[in-house]
Amino acid sequence: MSPSNAEGTNMRIVKSAALAAALLATAGAVQAQETAMPDETRVLATIESMTSAFAAGDIDRIMSTYAPGAVVVGEPGQPTRGDAALRAMFAAFIESGVSFNYGEHEVVIAGDTALHLMKWTAPGPDGTEASALSVAVLRRQPDGAWKMVIDHPSGDRVMRDGL
């Protein structure tokens, strides 16, 4: 190989190595940003995903925000478990046409467990406004995502009903 060909080959190797290093550094920076995302932000993203999926009538996306074995109290005193039962419950709520307005969020995190609190309001069937405090417990998943394990949309019922 002539000296000029060797220099050209070496230059291509250096450029290729520099490009590979840059790509690896970029991928590492993106992963670091995802990892650095505060847990509270991830919890709120799960809740936002669920509420927007509910508004869109997207049951698959709703279900993706719940961990396997999750429990949802769709009707006070009646916890619902299992994929088929949860899907049927969400379908019934969506078919009823109810639309919710959501208030401020509060998130408390302890290790791999988070508590999410949020007030919601919705027009009642008689024209009055219904409201309650939604209480959800989320668990950090092995991939870092947060999923709901307990969801009680009427978590303040005990106080309201004087039980």
Side-chain angles (χ1 to χ4, degrees):
M1 184 180 302
S2 70
S4 63
N5 283 346
E7 287 175 19
T9 300
N10 287 341
M11 185 57 101
R12 282 194 298 276
I13 290 171
V14 169
K15 285 182 180 179
S16 295
L19 179 60
L23 289 173
L24 288 173
T26 302
V30 169
Q31 185 176 12
Q33 284 177 342
E34 289 174 358
T35 303
M37 182 186 297
D39 286 331
E40 182 176 335
T41 301
R42 289 176 182 253
V43 168
L44 292 173
T46 299
I47 300 301
E48 172 58 29
S49 180
M50 189 284 184
T51 57
S52 64
F54 188 89
D58 186 341
I59 294 174
D60 288 335
R61 195 162 51 112
I62 291 170
M63 294 300 294
S64 75
T65 65
Y66 289 91
V71 176
V72 180
V73 183
E75 293 292 327
Q78 298 179 14
T80 302
R81 297 172 172 79
D83 190 72
L86 288 171
R87 285 177 176 279
M89 180 192 68
F90 286 123
F93 281 133
I94 290 167
E95 286 173 22
S96 75
V98 67
S99 82
F100 295 94
N101 294 306
Y102 302 102
E104 291 186 34
H105 303 266
E106 183 173 350
V107 176
V108 180
I109 298 174
D112 290 338
T113 304
L115 175 67
H116 175 264
L117 305 165
M118 174 182 63
K119 180 181 178 182
W120 59 263
T121 59
D126 60 357
T128 63
E129 186 174 83
S131 69
L133 178 69
S134 174
V135 178
V137 177
L138 295 89
R139 185 178 311 129
R140 184 191 333 256
Q141 303 301 296
D143 66 358
W146 288 85
K147 297 211 178 204
M148 287 182 274
V149 292
I150 301 171
D151 185 7
H152 195 321
S154 297
D156 61 345
R157 183 180 75 86
V158 172
M159 290 177 21
R160 286 181 310 170
D161 295 348
L163 300 175

